């Protein structure tokens, strides 16, 4: 590796969202993978003085892995873009679109892809129209089973699957704990998949899909980050033709939303082989139990090599 050019890389991890601990774990894993190749990597927690520090330091590239609103709503990314220092991942505008699940779903629906029917409800709507009245109407318009989730956020925090009407009030309260808007969504039965889309400068491509089988039936926060609570199959146990359709759909949605470098597209494939879009993640988890590293390793590539390629693609402006 005599022609290897070591980079000065700043990994941003932490923040103040509900996903802080997961972000710190992701940051350490990224830093370890890049350091093992010979790069100089510094992990910084976004806080007062960060922008001044970056301006003085002028690293070759910034890798943000700040999960939650702190890093994924576009604000931090927009500020990073003003520094002139390249960063890995999507730009601020597309990140804002993907961060809002209702907006992302509407864009995907308009483009002709399947996504479960849903209603987005703000806390103000509940207050103004009366919670009891709204809940009664919801259950008439959208019979259970339903999925209730915060309209913004990740790691399945505040997400509940409702199999009977009695569970809806509690689910709405849980969702409002994490966001001011809750998404009440039709539950599509099928095979739950996560598809990592990577673009290192030659166009986006999908890695083998991960099939997610939670032992208790719900892919909750605990099931995501506690080893042994979920079974993963990579590649997913689906027919080759369906796998190709899933890959094409994930790449198309990545491009439709204007995402860059790396994303994770979450889908459910129903019994007819139709992939249904659930959400797009612009800063997906990169912990030891996260799905993206599993996809990368299943594709026969090392984490270090892929992370290195993404860092260099950012520098090249790809």
């Amino acid at each position: 590796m005599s022609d290897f050019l070591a980079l000065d890389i700043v990994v941003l991890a932490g923040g103040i969202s509900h996903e802080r601990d997961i972000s710190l774990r992701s940051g350490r894993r990224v830093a370890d993978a890049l350091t093992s190749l010979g790069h100089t990597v510094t992990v910084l927690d976004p806080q007062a003085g960060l922008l001044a520090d970056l301006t003085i330091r002028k690293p070759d590239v910034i890798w943000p892995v700040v999960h939650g609103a702190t890093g994924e709503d576009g604000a931090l990314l927009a500020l990073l873009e003003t520094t002139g220092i390249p960063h890995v991942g999507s730009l601020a505008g597309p990140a804002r679109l993907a961060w809002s699940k209702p907006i992302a779903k509407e864009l995907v629906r308009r483009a002709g892809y399947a996504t479960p029917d849903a209603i987005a409800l703000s806390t103000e709507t509940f207050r103004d129209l009366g919670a009891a009245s709204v809940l009664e109407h919801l259950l008439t318009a959208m019979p259970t089973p339903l999925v209730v989730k915060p309209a913004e956020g990740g790691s399945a925090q505040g997400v509940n699957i409702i199999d009977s009407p009695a569970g809806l009030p509690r689910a709405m309260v849980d969702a409002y704990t994490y966001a001011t808007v809750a998404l009440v969504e039709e539950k599509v039965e099928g095979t739950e998949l996560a598809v990592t889309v990577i673009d290192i400068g030659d166009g986006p491509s999908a890695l083998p899909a991960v099939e997610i089988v939670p032992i208790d039936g719900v892919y909750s926060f605990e099931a995501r980050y506690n080893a042994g609570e979920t079974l993963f199959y990579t590649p997913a146990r689906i027919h080759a033709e369906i796998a190709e359709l899933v890959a094409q759909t994930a790449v198309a949605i990545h491009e439709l939303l204007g995402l860059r470098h790396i994303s994770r597209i979450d889908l459910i494939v129903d019994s007819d082989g139709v992939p249904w879009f659930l959400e797009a993640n612009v800063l997906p988890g990169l912990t030891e139990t996260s799905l993206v590293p599993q996809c990368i390793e299943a594709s026969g590539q090392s984490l270090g090599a892929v992370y290195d390629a993404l860092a260099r693609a950012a520098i090249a402006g790809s």
Side-chain angles (χ1 to χ4, degrees):
M1 299 182 62
S2 58
D3 58 348
F4 175 79
L5 176 62
L7 301 173
D8 180 17
I9 302 172
V10 166
V11 172
L12 297 181
I16 58 173
S17 80
H18 298 290
E19 299 179 69
R20 173 179 173 80
D21 289 344
I22 305 305
S23 174
L24 290 171
R25 285 166 58 183
S26 290
R28 286 194 295 269
R29 294 280 289 183
V30 171
D32 289 346
L34 292 169
T35 300
S36 70
L37 297 180
H39 296 300
T40 299
V41 184
T42 304
V43 180
L44 297 179
D45 199 331
Q47 55 190 327
L50 173 66
L51 296 173
D53 290 345
L54 291 173
T55 302
I56 294 171
R57 179 180 181 128
K58 295 190 184 305
D60 295 311
V61 64
I62 302 168
W63 190 313
V65 286
V66 183
H67 306 316
T70 310
E72 296 185 67
D73 67 359
L76 175 62
L77 299 177
L79 288 170
L80 293 181
E81 287 158 26
T82 66
T83 68
I85 303 168
H87 71 80
V88 174
S90 295
L91 297 174
R96 290 190 194 97
L97 296 177
W99 173 245
S100 171
K101 294 180 179 68
I103 290 175
K105 282 170 61 69
E106 180 62 14
L107 291 173
V108 168
R109 186 192 66 78
R110 290 187 183 189
Y113 297 96
T115 187
D117 289 339
I119 296 177
L121 295 167
S122 67
T123 54
E124 289 83 359
T125 302
F126 255 52
R127 182 191 64 224
D128 294 346
L129 299 185
S133 174
V134 171
L135 291 173
E136 181 181 0
H137 181 80
L138 269 179
L139 290 168
T140 300
M142 300 180 68
T144 56
L146 298 169
V147 180
V148 180
K149 62 182 77 172
E152 299 171 338
S155 293
Q157 292 180 318
V159 177
N160 285 282
I161 296 175
I162 305 306
D163 293 316
S164 68
L168 185 57
R170 179 72 254 178
M172 298 299 292
V173 172
D174 286 348
Y176 287 137
T177 301
Y178 295 94
T180 59
V181 176
L183 190 68
V184 182
E185 186 176 67
E186 169 196 16
K187 186 178 187 295
V188 174
E189 301 291 347
T191 303
E192 188 169 355
L193 304 174
V195 184
T196 298
V197 178
I198 297 283
D199 186 355
I200 57 174
D202 51 0
S205 62
L207 301 183
V210 175
E211 179 183 349
I212 303 159
V213 185
I215 292 175
D216 70 354
V218 180
Y219 193 39
S220 63
F221 179 86
E222 292 75 16
R224 288 169 185 249
Y225 297 111
N226 293 330
E229 295 198 17
T230 302
L231 300 177
F232 301 103
Y233 297 91
T234 313
R237 300 171 300 175
I238 53 179
H239 193 278
E241 292 181 1
I242 301 300
E244 179 60 27
L245 175 61
V246 164
Q248 292 174 358
T249 301
V251 168
I253 291 172
H254 174 97
E255 294 182 306
L256 172 70
L257 296 177
L259 306 184
R260 191 180 72 153
H261 298 152
I262 182 170
S263 71
R264 196 189 76 231
I265 309 298
D266 295 343
L267 306 155
I268 283 184
V269 175
D270 67 17
S271 58
D272 294 324
V274 176
W276 293 74
F277 169 74
L278 300 179
E279 61 184 82
N281 299 268
V282 299
L283 291 176
L286 299 171
T287 73
E288 62 279 5
T289 60
S290 294
L291 302 176
V292 169
Q294 294 183 53
C295 290
I296 292 173
E297 292 173 341
S299 72
Q301 304 175 79
S302 72
L303 297 181
V306 172
Y307 295 169
D308 173 82
L310 289 168
R312 296 185 190 279
I315 293 171
S318 301

